[in-house]
Amino acid sequence: MNANDKSIVGFVMISHAVVHTYELSIPILMVIWLGEFSVSTAVLGAVVSVGYGLFGIGALPAGVLVDRFGSRELILVCLAGMGGSFLLLSTAQGIKMISIALCLWGIAASIYHPSGLSLLSTGVEQRGTGFAYHGIAGNFGTGLGPLITAVLLLFFDWRLVTSLLVVPALIAIGYALSISFDETAAIQADGGDFGADRNGPGSLSEFVTDSRRLFTASFIIALLIVMMSGLFYRGTLTFLPDVLSGFLPEIAEQLQLFDPNSPIAEEFDPASYLYVALLMVGMAGQYVGGKLTDRIPMELGLAGIFSSLVAVAVLFVPAAEAGLAALVVISAVLGFLLFAVQPMYQATIAEYSPPTARGLSYGFTYVCVFGIGALGAAIAGYLLDVTSIMGTFVILAVFPVIGTVLAILLYRSDTDATS
């Protein structure tokens, strides 16, 4: 990587880590909210789905703004907004304020992915490697957020913990203000003149025109693929700490880690730490998935990962019931595959969209991944209320089944078009 590539990758890595630090700390907090506010999984799932949904829906207007104004300033707004929303969350005395704070977080966080991914695709010459490192950083935050939250909850009230989580956003803002880079270097290196076209849609009619130009048959299939990924991702991860707690033995009691009557023993939840480990394994998935985008057809890679996720979803509960070792293994495989798919679909979107509409293309992408995908949390919460955990996982497996079919269809359509 050249100096510009390194500056951009460093900037998006720390920003991506902070976004997912917040995103995946929420399921850890949900375990506490379920008890403290006496709400059902269906109600809390619906509340969280709204916040997560805005995380995705807001990506579309954010994508329009990226194409018009660039990425750097928008990412700074994103970081400040997320920190502020968690500060508000720390004041919550009931489910209503939690809902408001999560909605504000979702709006702020929605800015990141169109901004960060557009910046990578237009500014970094080694795009596949950039996506890989970007994904690894996201998973670092994905694991770090729940880990920091779980550890802090051993010692402090959850409201103080959420206020302390403002610190990562402040650190990221300080780092961002200390570096500089060229956002369009990769396009210029390819002989393009991005700067002449960086206007973005300035009116509703222009937005419709640009969207129509973007929505080829292949791009639509690619969006449906990322939608399936988002639904399965959110459906499996949102209540996973609570699900895992039902399968894990009382490890702290068996190993006598704490005094049984101490406050730490009361707050210690081994499921939270297995959940963190699962998310950290996703770092390897991100790296492998990113590297494979430069080596194999992305569509076939997507089909392989989706079909593997089907098998994991069907086998998850039987493996969990088989004992601790099997539960750890199946959780690790789930974490690897859930995140290996992400750099592949990100690169696929770049492949099927023009560089001058890259922000808009990633805006639509994350409407599908995190906006429509947020319904996965509500679906999972409802299924856990009306059926078994096994039934929940089997029904959720429908999403990667559809993803597999769509990926094969995209590969065949692209092969036919180039033959």
Side-chain angles (χ1 to χ4, degrees):
M1 286 189 179
N2 58 37
N4 193 71
D5 283 4
K6 290 178 181 178
S7 292
I8 290 176
V9 170
F11 176 50
V12 297
M13 282 179 70
I14 189 170
S15 302
H16 196 203
V18 171
V19 170
H20 291 295
T21 291
Y22 291 123
E23 178 203 1
L24 273 302
S25 66
I26 293 171
I28 298 294
L29 294 166
M30 287 174 66
V31 177
I32 296 175
W33 296 337
L34 283 168
E36 182 164 338
F37 299 112
S38 300
V39 295
S40 68
T41 57
V43 170
L44 188 58
V47 166
V48 173
S49 282
V50 174
Y52 279 151
L54 290 171
F55 183 21
I57 294 169
L60 184 53
V64 173
L65 293 174
V66 170
D67 286 334
R68 193 165 184 83
F69 300 110
S71 298
R72 183 191 184 98
E73 289 74 14
L74 288 173
I75 293 175
L76 289 172
V77 171
C78 164
L79 293 169
M82 290 190 300
S85 64
F86 260 64
L87 189 61
L88 178 62
L89 184 61
S90 69
T91 69
Q93 299 296 321
I95 200 69
K96 183 181 294 186
M97 183 57 73
I98 287 174
S99 302
I100 294 171
L102 291 182
C103 286
L104 293 175
W105 172 83
I107 293 169
S110 70
I111 298 171
Y112 176 72
H113 284 93
S115 304
L117 293 171
S118 178
L119 179 57
L120 277 172
S121 66
T122 60
V124 177
E125 295 181 33
Q126 295 187 32
R127 180 189 295 165
T129 300
F131 279 132
Y133 285 122
H134 176 261
I136 290 170
N139 267 90
F140 181 75
T142 293
L144 186 65
L147 178 60
I148 291 175
T149 304
V151 171
L152 289 175
L153 286 170
L154 293 176
F155 305 98
F156 306 112
D157 177 75
W158 70 267
R159 293 178 180 85
L160 177 57
V161 171
T162 54
S163 66
L164 292 174
L165 286 174
V166 176
V167 174
L170 296 177
I171 293 173
I173 290 171
Y175 175 79
L177 294 175
S178 70
I179 60 171
S180 61
F181 47 77
D182 181 354
E183 293 192 23
T184 65
I187 301 302
Q188 295 173 28
D190 289 338
D193 185 15
F194 192 100
D197 295 320
R198 171 156 261 172
N199 295 315
S203 65
L204 180 59
S205 61
E206 289 180 10
F207 170 77
V208 172
T209 299
D210 288 354
S211 298
R212 285 176 176 171
R213 189 180 301 116
L214 181 63
F215 271 74
T216 63
S218 295
F219 184 74
I220 292 172
I221 295 173
L223 283 183
L224 292 173
I225 288 171
V226 299
M227 187 188 302
M228 294 305 107
S229 176
L231 286 164
F232 186 74
Y233 171 92
R234 194 64 72 200
T236 54
L237 287 186
T238 301
F239 288 96
L240 195 57
D242 194 49
V243 168
L244 290 172
S245 65
F247 293 111
L248 284 170
E250 294 294 332
I251 297 174
E253 184 176 325
Q254 293 177 4
L255 299 180
Q256 298 182 336
L257 296 176
F258 313 110
D259 181 342
N261 297 318
S262 68
I264 293 180
E266 183 178 344
E267 296 294 338
F268 182 77
D269 182 6
S272 296
Y273 297 92
L274 177 56
Y275 179 70
V276 169
L278 176 156
L279 298 174
M280 295 301 283
V281 169
M283 293 174 67
Q286 289 273 14
Y287 183 79
V288 171
K291 286 297 186 180
L292 285 176
T293 62
D294 293 328
R295 291 170 170 78
I296 65 172
M298 293 170 289
E299 302 88 348
L300 293 183
L302 287 168
I305 295 173
F306 274 127
S307 59
S308 299
L309 283 170
V310 174
V312 169
V314 172
L315 294 173
F316 191 89
V317 172
E321 292 174 340
L324 180 59
L327 175 59
V328 170
V329 170
I330 198 71
S331 297
V333 174
L334 175 63
F336 181 90
L337 294 172
L338 274 176
F339 293 96
V341 74
Q342 292 183 5
M344 283 201 166
Y345 71 60
Q346 290 163 358
T348 301
I349 291 297
E351 182 70 20
Y352 291 102
S353 63
T356 53
R358 198 58 50 76
L360 184 61
S361 68
Y362 283 122
F364 280 114
T365 296
Y366 282 90
V367 167
C368 292
V369 174
F370 291 136
I372 298 173
L375 293 174
I379 292 169
Y382 173 76
L383 290 173
L384 288 169
D385 257 5
V386 301
T387 187
S388 64
I389 296 175
M390 180 68 189
T392 299
F393 272 90
V394 169
I395 294 172
L396 290 175
V398 171
F399 297 126
V401 167
I402 297 172
T404 302
V405 173
L406 290 169
I408 294 172
L409 177 62
L410 184 61
Y411 175 73
R412 289 181 175 175
S413 65
D414 184 60
T415 301
D416 292 341
T418 56
S419 61

